[in-house]
Amino acid sequence: MSIFSPLNPLEPLALETERVVLRRWRKSDFKPFARMNQDPMVMEFFPRRLDADETRAMIRRIESGFEEHGFGLYAVELKENNGFIGFVGLSVPKFSTHFTPCVEIGWRLSSEYWGRGLATEAAREVMRAAFHDFGLEEVVSMTAIPNQRSRRVMEKLGMTTLPDDDFDHPLVPEGPLKRHVLYRKRR
Ligand SMILES: CC(C)(COP(=O)(O)OP(=O)(O)OC[C@H]1O[C@@H](n2cnc3c(N)ncnc32)[C@H](O)[C@@H]1OP(=O)(O)O)[C@@H](O)C(=O)NCCC(=O)NCCS
Protein backbone atom coordinates (compact mmCIF):
# COMPACT_ATOMS: atom_id res chain seq x y z
CA MET A 1 0.00 0.00 0.00
CA SER A 2 1.35 3.46 -0.84
CA ILE A 3 0.96 6.48 1.43
CA PHE A 4 0.86 9.54 -0.85
CA SER A 5 1.99 13.11 -0.21
CA PRO A 6 -0.89 15.57 0.39
CA LEU A 7 1.12 18.17 -1.60
CA ASN A 8 1.81 15.92 -4.56
CA PRO A 9 -0.65 13.04 -4.81
CA LEU A 10 1.62 11.32 -7.37
CA GLU A 11 4.52 11.06 -4.94
CA PRO A 12 4.46 8.09 -2.58
CA LEU A 13 5.94 9.15 0.76
CA ALA A 14 6.10 5.70 2.24
CA LEU A 15 5.00 2.14 1.57
CA GLU A 16 3.34 -0.23 3.98
CA THR A 17 2.77 -3.97 4.33
CA GLU A 18 1.13 -6.06 7.02
CA ARG A 19 4.24 -6.07 9.25
CA VAL A 20 6.46 -3.20 8.09
CA VAL A 21 6.54 0.44 7.04
CA LEU A 22 9.01 1.46 4.32
CA ARG A 23 9.92 5.10 4.80
CA ARG A 24 12.53 7.84 4.31
CA TRP A 25 15.49 7.78 6.71
CA ARG A 26 15.58 9.41 10.14
CA LYS A 27 18.52 10.46 12.33
CA SER A 28 17.68 7.67 14.77
CA ASP A 29 18.32 5.04 12.05
CA PHE A 30 22.04 5.80 12.01
CA LYS A 31 23.04 3.85 15.15
CA PRO A 32 21.24 0.59 14.38
CA PHE A 33 22.32 0.82 10.71
CA ALA A 34 25.97 1.40 11.70
CA ARG A 35 25.74 -1.66 13.98
CA MET A 36 24.37 -3.78 11.10
CA ASN A 37 27.15 -2.63 8.78
CA GLN A 38 29.66 -3.90 11.36
CA ASP A 39 28.00 -7.33 11.71
CA PRO A 40 30.10 -10.00 9.94
CA MET A 41 26.95 -12.08 9.22
CA VAL A 42 25.18 -9.16 7.51
CA MET A 43 28.31 -8.23 5.54
CA GLU A 44 29.40 -11.79 4.66
CA PHE A 45 28.93 -11.27 0.91
CA PHE A 46 30.35 -7.74 0.70
CA PRO A 47 34.05 -7.00 0.26
CA ARG A 48 34.24 -5.52 3.79
CA ARG A 49 32.33 -4.08 6.71
CA LEU A 50 31.55 -0.33 6.87
CA ASP A 51 32.76 2.02 9.56
CA ALA A 52 30.62 4.82 11.02
CA ASP A 53 31.74 7.42 8.47
CA GLU A 54 30.99 5.07 5.58
CA THR A 55 27.56 4.33 7.03
CA ARG A 56 26.88 8.06 7.34
CA ALA A 57 27.97 8.62 3.73
CA MET A 58 25.77 5.74 2.58
CA ILE A 59 22.67 7.22 4.26
CA ARG A 60 23.48 10.56 2.63
CA ARG A 61 23.77 8.89 -0.80
CA ILE A 62 20.49 7.02 -0.26
CA GLU A 63 18.66 10.21 0.73
CA SER A 64 20.00 12.14 -2.27
CA GLY A 65 18.86 9.25 -4.48
CA PHE A 66 15.30 9.78 -3.19
CA GLU A 67 15.53 13.47 -4.15
CA GLU A 68 16.81 12.57 -7.62
CA HIS A 69 14.53 9.65 -8.52
CA GLY A 70 11.51 9.86 -6.20
CA PHE A 71 12.28 6.34 -4.98
CA GLY A 72 15.16 4.75 -3.12
CA LEU A 73 16.34 2.27 -0.53
CA TYR A 74 13.62 2.66 2.11
CA ALA A 75 14.34 2.41 5.81
CA VAL A 76 12.33 -0.57 7.10
CA GLU A 77 10.46 -0.13 10.36
CA LEU A 78 8.90 -3.12 12.07
CA LYS A 79 5.34 -2.31 13.17
CA GLU A 80 5.46 -4.63 16.20
CA ASN A 81 8.09 -2.47 17.97
CA ASN A 82 8.47 0.61 15.72
CA GLY A 83 12.16 -0.29 15.40
CA PHE A 84 14.46 0.25 12.40
CA ILE A 85 15.52 -3.18 11.05
CA GLY A 86 17.35 -2.34 7.80
CA PHE A 87 16.54 -1.31 4.24
CA VAL A 88 14.65 -2.64 1.24
CA GLY A 89 14.16 -0.62 -1.91
CA LEU A 90 15.32 0.59 -5.28
CA SER A 91 18.57 2.16 -6.45
CA VAL A 92 20.22 3.16 -9.69
CA PRO A 93 23.70 1.62 -9.97
CA LYS A 94 26.42 4.15 -10.83
CA PHE A 95 28.78 1.67 -12.52
CA SER A 96 28.34 0.59 -16.11
CA THR A 97 28.15 -2.95 -17.43
CA HIS A 98 26.10 -4.94 -19.97
CA PHE A 99 22.70 -4.37 -18.25
CA THR A 100 23.05 -0.70 -17.18
CA PRO A 101 21.41 1.77 -16.94
CA CYS A 102 18.91 -0.09 -14.78
CA VAL A 103 16.95 0.06 -11.53
CA GLU A 104 17.99 -2.46 -8.90
CA ILE A 105 15.97 -3.85 -6.00
CA GLY A 106 18.04 -4.60 -2.90
CA TRP A 107 17.84 -5.42 0.81
CA ARG A 108 19.85 -5.58 4.02
CA LEU A 109 18.20 -6.52 7.32
CA SER A 110 19.55 -6.84 10.83
CA SER A 111 20.42 -10.54 11.35
CA GLU A 112 18.13 -10.92 14.38
CA TYR A 113 15.13 -10.46 12.04
CA TRP A 114 16.17 -12.92 9.33
CA GLY A 115 14.10 -15.97 8.47
CA ARG A 116 10.67 -14.45 9.10
CA GLY A 117 9.88 -13.60 5.48
CA LEU A 118 10.27 -9.87 6.18
CA ALA A 119 12.66 -9.13 3.27
CA THR A 120 10.34 -10.86 0.82
CA GLU A 121 7.23 -9.16 2.22
CA ALA A 122 8.83 -5.71 1.98
CA ALA A 123 10.36 -6.41 -1.44
CA ARG A 124 7.01 -7.56 -2.89
CA GLU A 125 5.57 -4.17 -1.99
CA VAL A 126 8.59 -2.36 -3.45
CA MET A 127 8.22 -4.38 -6.66
CA ARG A 128 4.53 -3.45 -6.86
CA ALA A 129 5.37 0.23 -6.38
CA ALA A 130 8.22 0.01 -8.94
CA PHE A 131 5.83 -1.10 -11.66
CA HIS A 132 2.63 0.68 -10.64
CA ASP A 133 3.65 3.88 -8.84
CA PHE A 134 6.98 4.57 -10.57
CA GLY A 135 6.12 3.11 -14.00
CA LEU A 136 9.34 1.12 -14.40
CA GLU A 137 9.53 -1.46 -17.19
CA GLU A 138 12.12 -3.72 -15.58
CA VAL A 139 13.70 -4.24 -12.17
CA VAL A 140 16.94 -6.18 -11.70
CA SER A 141 18.70 -7.57 -8.67
CA MET A 142 22.26 -8.77 -8.27
CA THR A 143 24.37 -10.52 -5.69
CA ALA A 144 27.58 -12.50 -5.26
CA ILE A 145 26.96 -16.03 -6.59
CA PRO A 146 27.23 -17.78 -3.16
CA ASN A 147 24.66 -15.48 -1.47
CA GLN A 148 21.87 -18.09 -1.38
CA ARG A 149 19.63 -16.17 1.06
CA SER A 150 19.45 -13.17 -1.20
CA ARG A 151 18.99 -15.32 -4.31
CA ARG A 152 16.12 -17.10 -2.60
CA VAL A 153 14.40 -13.74 -1.98
CA MET A 154 14.85 -12.87 -5.69
CA GLU A 155 13.32 -16.21 -6.68
CA LYS A 156 10.37 -15.79 -4.29
CA LEU A 157 9.71 -12.43 -6.00
CA GLY A 158 9.36 -14.25 -9.32
CA MET A 159 12.65 -12.88 -10.66
CA THR A 160 14.58 -15.06 -13.10
CA THR A 161 18.20 -15.40 -14.11
CA LEU A 162 20.04 -16.42 -17.29
CA PRO A 163 23.61 -17.79 -17.25
CA ASP A 164 24.60 -15.23 -19.92
CA ASP A 165 23.77 -12.42 -17.47
CA ASP A 166 26.38 -13.47 -14.87
CA PHE A 167 29.04 -10.76 -14.63
CA ASP A 168 32.14 -9.60 -12.78
CA HIS A 169 31.03 -6.73 -10.54
CA PRO A 170 33.20 -3.75 -11.50
CA LEU A 171 33.31 -2.39 -7.92
CA VAL A 172 34.20 -5.68 -6.18
CA PRO A 173 37.89 -6.64 -5.88
CA GLU A 174 39.19 -9.90 -7.42
CA GLY A 175 38.20 -12.90 -5.29
CA PRO A 176 35.27 -15.23 -4.57
CA LEU A 177 32.72 -12.36 -4.34
CA LYS A 178 33.52 -10.74 -7.68
CA ARG A 179 31.37 -13.01 -9.86
CA HIS A 180 27.73 -11.90 -9.59
CA VAL A 181 24.41 -13.29 -10.69
CA LEU A 182 21.76 -11.02 -12.19
CA TYR A 183 18.02 -11.57 -11.77
CA ARG A 184 15.41 -9.66 -13.74
CA LYS A 185 11.67 -9.10 -13.64
CA ARG A 186 9.62 -7.20 -16.21
CA ARG A 187 6.39 -5.33 -15.54
C1 LIG B 1 19.06 -11.47 2.25
C2 LIG B 1 18.23 -11.03 3.46
C3 LIG B 1 17.72 -9.61 3.27
C4 LIG B 1 17.03 -11.99 3.60
O1 LIG B 1 16.21 -11.55 4.68
P1 LIG B 1 15.04 -12.46 5.30
O2 LIG B 1 14.02 -11.56 5.89
O3 LIG B 1 15.65 -13.50 6.15
O4 LIG B 1 14.47 -13.15 3.97
P2 LIG B 1 13.16 -14.04 3.85
O5 LIG B 1 12.85 -14.65 5.18
O6 LIG B 1 12.11 -13.22 3.17
O7 LIG B 1 13.64 -15.16 2.83
C5 LIG B 1 14.88 -15.82 2.99
C6 LIG B 1 14.85 -17.15 2.25
O8 LIG B 1 16.18 -17.67 2.17
C7 LIG B 1 16.18 -19.00 2.66
N1 LIG B 1 17.50 -19.26 3.20
C8 LIG B 1 18.01 -18.85 4.39
N2 LIG B 1 19.28 -19.27 4.51
C9 LIG B 1 19.57 -19.95 3.38
C10 LIG B 1 20.72 -20.64 2.90
N3 LIG B 1 21.85 -20.70 3.63
N4 LIG B 1 20.67 -21.25 1.68
C11 LIG B 1 19.54 -21.17 0.94
N5 LIG B 1 18.41 -20.53 1.34
C12 LIG B 1 18.43 -19.94 2.55
C13 LIG B 1 15.09 -19.01 3.69
O9 LIG B 1 14.70 -20.34 3.99
C14 LIG B 1 14.02 -18.21 2.94
O10 LIG B 1 13.42 -18.97 1.91
P3 LIG B 1 12.00 -19.77 2.14
O11 LIG B 1 10.97 -18.72 2.48
O12 LIG B 1 11.77 -20.44 0.84
O13 LIG B 1 12.23 -20.71 3.29
C15 LIG B 1 19.06 -11.10 4.77
O14 LIG B 1 19.60 -12.39 4.89
C16 LIG B 1 20.21 -10.09 4.78
O15 LIG B 1 20.05 -8.94 5.16
N6 LIG B 1 21.42 -10.55 4.38
C17 LIG B 1 22.61 -9.69 4.43
C18 LIG B 1 22.61 -8.59 3.40
C19 LIG B 1 22.60 -9.13 1.99
O16 LIG B 1 23.26 -10.11 1.67
N7 LIG B 1 21.87 -8.43 1.13
C20 LIG B 1 21.80 -8.74 -0.26
C21 LIG B 1 22.98 -8.29 -0.95
S1 LIG B 1 22.75 -8.34 -2.68
Side-chain angles (χ1 to χ4, degrees):
M1 189 179 78
S2 302
I3 299 161
F4 288 94
S5 157
L7 296 176
N8 178 0
L10 294 177
E11 184 191 331
L13 282 182
L15 305 171
E16 190 176 358
T17 71
E18 190 187 335
R19 292 180 291 172
V20 300
V21 174
L22 300 157
R23 57 159 175 76
R24 295 284 291 266
W25 290 66
R26 294 188 188 139
K27 266 201 175 133
S28 56
D29 301 332
F30 169 73
K31 264 196 188 158
F33 190 45
R35 216 175 302 127
M36 279 175 58
N37 288 334
Q38 276 290 307
D39 178 344
M41 272 172 79
V42 171
M43 301 308 279
E44 181 181 358
F45 298 106
F46 294 89
R48 52 195 189 78
R49 291 181 269 163
L50 302 184
D51 66 26
D53 284 343
E54 289 167 318
T55 291
R56 213 170 277 115
M58 184 172 175
I59 296 175
R60 235 179 269 127
R61 272 198 312 277
I62 292 173
E63 273 298 320
S64 66
F66 273 104
E67 298 300 328
E68 191 179 343
H69 306 293
F71 54 71
L73 296 172
Y74 297 89
V76 180
E77 191 173 302
L78 192 63
K79 287 183 186 176
E80 69 188 36
N81 59 10
N82 298 322
F84 167 90
I85 63 164
F87 71 72
V88 175
L90 300 168
S91 64
V92 178
K94 290 215 161 48
F95 58 85
S96 75
T97 184
H98 77 276
F99 54 83
T100 56
C102 65
V103 177
E104 177 188 7
I105 187 166
W107 33 72
R108 187 179 303 175
L109 296 187
S110 166
S111 51
E112 66 196 280
Y113 295 100
W114 291 3
R116 292 170 55 180
L118 290 165
T120 307
E121 179 177 317
R124 281 208 177 101
E125 173 59 13
V126 168
M127 201 63 108
R128 183 205 62 72
F131 294 133
H132 295 104
D133 296 341
F134 307 127
L136 302 176
E137 289 296 328
E138 184 181 65
V139 172
V140 306
S141 195
M142 65 196 82
T143 192
I145 295 211
N147 190 349
Q148 291 299 337
R149 277 187 204 94
S150 193
R151 296 180 63 157
R152 183 73 196 119
V153 174
M154 295 169 197
E155 284 158 12
K156 288 196 288 180
L157 294 173
M159 303 186 85
T160 52
T161 182
L162 290 171
D164 279 356
D165 269 336
D166 286 4
F167 67 107
D168 287 330
H169 198 302
L171 304 180
V172 176
E174 289 301 332
L177 301 179
K178 187 156 182 80
R179 196 76 184 153
H180 271 54
V181 66
L182 181 82
Y183 282 73
R184 300 176 186 258
K185 187 176 170 108
R186 293 196 67 79
R187 181 158 26 166

